[in-house]
Amino acid sequence: MFNWMAWTLPVAVFFTCIVLMLIGMTVWEIKSPTVMRKGFLPIATTRGDRLFIGLLGAAYINLAFIGMAGWFTQWLSLEQEPSIWISFVASMVWLAVAMRKG
C-alpha cells in the first residue's frame, strides 16, 4: 500500500511527530479552550492557527533543504549530501518558535 513512498526513518519520525502534536493539541483544546493572541505574526492567532502556520513552515523548510542539498554538497565540497536530520531539527525549532512566540 505504501510502496510508492520512501518511508525512511526521518520521514517516519516527522509524520509521527505531526500525529502526536495533533493528538496533544486536541486534548489541550478540550481541557483548556484557546484564547486569541498576537505575537510576532502579523495576525491574532489561536493555538491551532499557530500549529498550522508552524507545520506549513516546517514543510517548506524540509522541502527547501531537500531541493538545495545538492547545492550544499557542491558549495561546501562535501563527499555526500548533508543529513536530512538537519532540516528536521531546523523545522522543529521553527515550529516551537511559532507555537511559543507566534
Side-chain angles (χ1 to χ4, degrees), residues 47-66:
R47 280 188 295 246
D49 297 335
R50 290 188 298 275
L51 177 64
F52 181 72
I53 291 167
L55 287 174
L56 279 178
Y60 286 124
I61 288 168
N62 280 296
L63 288 173
F65 184 85
I66 291 168

Side-chain angles (χ1 to χ4, degrees), residues 19-87:
V19 168
L20 291 174
M21 281 187 285
L22 291 173
I23 291 169
M25 289 290 288
T26 301
V27 171
W28 191 7
E29 185 66 28
I30 291 169
K31 297 235 180 228
S32 171
T34 191
V35 176
M36 297 277 282
R37 70 174 173 86
K38 181 139 172 35
F40 72 85
L41 296 170
I43 55 175
T45 58
T46 64
R47 280 188 295 246
D49 297 335
R50 290 188 298 275
L51 177 64
F52 181 72
I53 291 167
L55 287 174
L56 279 178
Y60 286 124
I61 288 168
N62 280 296
L63 288 173
F65 184 85
I66 291 168
M68 293 172 42
W71 291 349
F72 291 145
T73 305
Q74 289 178 345
W75 292 339
L76 302 174
S77 300
L78 302 173
E79 292 181 16
Q80 62 183 13
E81 290 186 350
S83 174
I84 195 73
W85 288 107
I86 296 168
S87 68

